[in-house]
Amino acid sequence: MVLAQSGVITGTVRDVNTQEPLIGVTIRLNNTELGTVSNEAGRYRLENITLGSYTLESSYLGYQSQSKFNINVTAGNAQIVNFELAPAASKLQEVEITANRRQSAAVADLVTPLSVQGLSTEEIRSNPGGNFDISKVVQVLPGVATNGTGGGSRNDLIIRGGAPSENVYYLDGIEIPLINHFTTQGSAGGATGILNVSFIEDLKVSSSAFDARYDNALSSVFGFRQRYGNPERFSGNIRLSGSEFATTFEGPISPKTTYLVSARRSYLQFLFKLLDLPIRPNYWDFQYKVDHKLNSKTSLTFLGVGAIDEFSFGVPRNSTPENEYILRSIPLNNQWNYTTGVAVKRLINDGYLNLALSRNAFNIDLEKFEDAQNNNNALQTLKSNSRETENKLRLDVNKFQNGFKYAYGVSGQLVQFTNNVFNVIRPELRDEQGDLVQPGLTVNYNTNLDFFRYGAFGQVSRSVLNDKLGLSFGIRSDMNSFTETGNNPLKTLSPRGAISYVISDKWTLNASSGIYYKLPTYTVLGYQENGQYLNQAADYIKSAHYVLGTEFLPRTDLRFTLEGFYKKYSNYPVSVRDGISLANQGGDFGSIGNEAITSNGLGRAYGLEFYLQKKLTGSVFSVLSYTYVVSQFAGTDGRYISSSWDYRHLVSALLGKKLPKNWEFGAKYRFAGGAPATPFDLEASRRNYGALGVGILDYSQLNSERLRPFSQLDVRLDKKWNFNRVTLDLFLDIANVLGSKTPGYERYTFQRNTENNGFATTNGGPLQEDGSNAIPLILNNDDGNLVPTLGFILEF
């Protein structure tokens, strides 16, 4: 093969407020003589670029200049880099001030960058230990933690002390309820991510000051923007890593139409069999995007993402107490999900409108038996089949007139929810004389629920005092046709406001406050007893946010932020059965919310965040964040105690270094304070373990203990070879390179006998139904394995 000497960057330039293409914008590649201007369609193209990493700058009279960092030019795919420019102030002095503070190291969001962080394509792709999983990549951002202690078995995202169910996710403006495989119904976490990072142009995470167009968010809004396919030729990439094989293809269908399509297949089941683990997870996922330009004013985007998750058990070679626990405690979990939709963008006078029609569905089947997988219906303790379907229509109009930026819109959806549940909460137990020792409790119902959800919003922002003071105000209301007060728009009236003041060309002071609402999960709303919906009186969960912060931009590539936040929760669902807030749930595989609740739970989360982000301008890019967060919720007794997400201290750091001859090194470090833990009720655990396969927690001592802190260092080494229109990237990614112990929650089981063919007993006889002759064993859960992944990415 002949080594290639150059690559291509192409893209579009638009007005951020009106989405009109901008003609004649200067695009320049830093530290080179290369430059061009955008054409009448706002498109530009740079050719004959020496391979390497660059900063790309755009400039246009009357607009703020913008830089895009770490553009990695290879001989494989063309790099597609789009710009959205904001108008500058009229006076030269103000132009300079605004331009300096709006470089790409900052994140522009309406008026204020408060509580908003972003990651670019290259930062997402090259994240050490990220394994091309967006849920792991975002852990470098401030205020972001994962379930338990940050270990590798779960992908729950805990934002500023809120439960994982409090986040919402949007893909090109279309909501996607799930971003993980083997997700927990009623929550949002799972085992590994669904989204293909090759599609993502950038990611914006808002942890407060939410735009009023977004509903159902209490802790964060994730906005994923996908790039469009290569408009010039067929191209793509093939990726092989330690757990999966993925393909991505893209190209033009016609001069006005491009496509992106991908499929991914795991082979974790083979790896787990090799490691003698009894679980056999297996998944597929698929994703597509088609962009079509009807005319100069109207464009269509068709998108879809879906997954098939299959979970089974195998027979381990060695039946250890740990393997026995896994077999008995984890339900069979087979599920599928998809989101598909079409979005129309139409340019209008002084703005644009978006119309999105989408459908998403999630189906989950759970099964569990007393003695693991024997398929004896008499010993079945869990059988659940549930499907959540949402058919959505959203319209928003966005205008920019006389310095005012405003938006308004409506949304509506038809919800279809079925839930067939048989779940033994605790078995009936009698002693040898037949006397009742423990009354049984079984949940058994069938739900078939259809109802409507609808909402409306308005948002306006304006910069005054020569663009030094930015003001933003929004309001929305959400309703539904199912809950008792669901059609009262005043119950969910959600005002929010933000203010930003430019102290100097480097310093900005920001503040925001808002009230946000979320409808309880469908598992809660659909819960029945004796054919009656018990939770129809449930209220929308309410959260009030108060945030104050500052942003410092000493250089165009360097950004510091410091923020203090306080969140106050009310109307949180509380379990009638256990008396605890459902804010503590959502970190286990399976399903939550299938129970009676009251809407009188309270909560609070507060803390301080520091963030440093250094974009790549030479050969180094880095991120450093520290968060102090307190998260407390109250149950039936009204007493505030640490929630399951109360980690207190969170530290993350990322360092990337470009080396000679196309080598690249990256390192990521994470630290989390000890997670709260609840001890076992030893008597109840002994009685019920034989049937349920898990210990029973003592909720009278909820989160009264703490695990050890978590820390982990991940490293990654890449080497690229460029050939004619082909780039090969060989990488070594080592998670937990120091082999640090990963503290996890203890596991309750019974001791095995010496023959390892059953449980040991105190009298040598068979295990009694109530476990009275068992020998309890509590297993430590602090494995800390070094996990190397050797793989490659072939771009063409």
Side-chain angles (χ1 to χ4, degrees), residues 43-335:
R43 297 192 59 82
Y44 73 91
R45 178 182 172 87
L46 284 170
E47 299 177 316
N48 302 317
I49 304 171
T50 302
L51 306 182
S53 294
Y54 294 92
T55 297
L56 192 64
E57 286 189 352
S58 64
S59 59
Y60 193 47
L61 183 63
Y63 283 79
Q64 301 165 20
S65 61
Q66 190 179 63
S67 298
K68 294 292 182 80
F69 300 93
N70 200 4
I71 309 301
N72 195 22
V73 179
T74 67
N77 296 344
Q79 294 301 306
I80 300 173
V81 183
N82 300 317
F83 290 91
E84 292 187 349
L85 303 185
S90 57
K91 297 180 181 179
L92 179 61
Q93 179 185 5
E94 308 306 332
V95 171
E96 291 173 348
I97 290 176
T98 309
N100 283 338
R101 67 179 290 264
R102 286 303 189 201
Q103 291 290 346
S104 292
V107 180
D109 186 58
L110 285 179
V111 172
T112 171
L114 189 73
S115 305
V116 178
Q117 309 295 348
L119 292 171
S120 66
T121 302
E122 195 62 25
E123 289 167 326
I124 293 169
R125 290 182 183 178
S126 60
N127 187 278
N131 198 27
F132 309 100
D133 187 337
I134 196 67
S135 297
K136 291 182 171 60
V137 171
V138 298
Q139 293 171 27
V140 301
L141 298 178
V144 180
T146 55
N147 171 51
T149 57
S153 63
R154 293 284 301 185
N155 254 358
D156 304 276
L157 293 175
I158 316 303
I159 311 295
R160 289 182 172 178
S165 59
E166 297 177 13
N167 311 312
V168 295
Y169 310 94
Y170 284 84
L171 191 65
D172 289 341
I174 289 178
E175 186 177 2
I176 50 172
L178 307 174
I179 63 169
N180 286 300
H181 290 282
F182 300 105
T183 198
T184 301
Q185 187 183 25
S187 186
T192 188
I194 291 174
L195 297 180
N196 185 342
V197 298
S198 296
F199 280 49
I200 298 174
E201 180 174 339
D202 57 49
L203 163 66
K204 184 178 72 176
V205 182
S206 303
S207 50
S208 196
F210 308 136
D211 191 308
R213 75 187 66 232
Y214 302 121
D215 65 316
N216 243 30
L218 294 181
S219 279
S220 76
V221 175
F222 282 70
F224 302 97
R225 183 164 58 178
Q226 299 182 111
R227 62 187 181 86
Y228 54 79
N230 190 332
E232 300 176 352
R233 65 177 179 89
F234 171 76
S235 59
N237 66 70
I238 297 172
R239 185 177 77 236
L240 179 70
S241 67
S243 60
E244 64 186 28
F245 176 73
T247 59
T248 301
F249 302 117
E250 60 183 291
I253 298 176
S254 73
K256 294 185 176 181
T257 310
T258 64
Y259 71 90
L260 279 163
V261 62
S262 76
R264 185 169 57 158
R265 172 78 156 92
S266 78
Y267 46 87
L268 282 172
Q269 66 273 30
F270 306 116
L271 176 63
F272 283 22
K273 183 177 181 179
L274 183 66
L275 296 174
D276 198 32
L277 293 175
I279 54 177
R280 302 286 191 267
N282 176 29
Y283 63 79
W284 288 84
D285 59 50
F286 311 91
Q287 196 166 338
Y288 73 88
K289 182 187 181 189
V290 176
D291 290 289
H292 176 68
K293 196 172 184 64
L294 283 174
N295 51 52
S296 61
K297 297 290 187 181
T298 309
S299 59
L300 296 176
T301 297
F302 302 87
L303 63 84
V305 57
I308 301 171
D309 302 335
E310 299 171 346
F311 189 96
S312 61
F313 291 113
V315 179
R317 296 185 296 273
N318 184 17
S319 185
T320 63
E322 289 79 5
N323 280 341
E324 195 68 29
Y325 172 84
I326 291 172
L327 284 168
R328 290 175 177 270
S329 66
I330 300 177
L332 285 166
N333 184 343
N334 295 315
Q335 54 184 260

Side-chain angles (χ1 to χ4, degrees), residues 621-779:
F621 61 93
S622 59
V623 165
L624 174 65
S625 72
Y626 167 74
T627 303
Y628 174 75
V629 58
V630 175
S631 175
Q632 299 172 323
F633 282 83
T636 302
D637 59 6
R639 181 172 57 93
Y640 282 102
I641 61 172
S642 291
S643 78
S644 296
W645 328 113
D646 185 36
Y647 303 118
R648 299 298 170 98
H649 301 282
L650 300 170
V651 178
S652 63
L654 173 67
L655 176 68
K657 172 69 175 176
K658 302 282 187 178
L659 301 170
K661 298 183 178 179
N662 291 323
W663 286 90
E664 185 172 343
F665 173 78
K668 180 175 69 177
Y669 175 76
R670 290 173 294 151
F671 172 90
T678 304
F680 290 109
D681 182 327
L682 298 179
E683 182 179 346
S685 296
R686 189 167 185 165
R687 284 200 308 264
N688 291 282
Y689 177 79
L692 304 182
V694 293
I696 306 298
L697 297 178
D698 183 357
Y699 286 131
S700 68
Q701 302 183 65
L702 179 68
N703 294 332
S704 59
E705 300 178 353
R706 282 192 181 268
L707 304 180
R708 292 185 300 101
F710 160 84
S711 65
Q712 181 169 309
L713 176 65
D714 307 322
V715 298
R716 174 168 167 153
L717 187 65
D718 286 73
K719 166 64 175 174
K720 289 185 174 69
W721 290 269
N722 288 288
F723 307 99
N724 185 24
R725 287 196 169 185
V726 174
T727 298
L728 175 64
D729 182 350
L730 185 65
F731 64 87
L732 174 64
D733 197 321
I734 306 176
N736 196 18
V737 68
L738 300 179
S740 304
K741 295 294 184 182
T742 302
Y745 302 111
E746 292 179 335
R747 299 168 171 179
Y748 184 98
T749 186
F750 290 161
Q751 186 175 309
R752 304 286 292 173
N753 60 29
T754 54
E755 293 81 17
N756 200 19
N757 59 6
F759 290 119
T761 58
T762 55
N763 58 9
L767 181 68
Q768 294 294 316
E769 189 179 44
D770 63 356
S772 57
N773 63 341
I775 303 175
L777 181 65
I778 295 180
L779 304 172

Side-chain angles (χ1 to χ4, degrees), residues 587-603:
D588 294 321
F589 291 104
S591 181
I592 66 170
N594 296 310
E595 57 182 305
I597 62 97
T598 61
S599 290
N600 60 357
L602 302 174

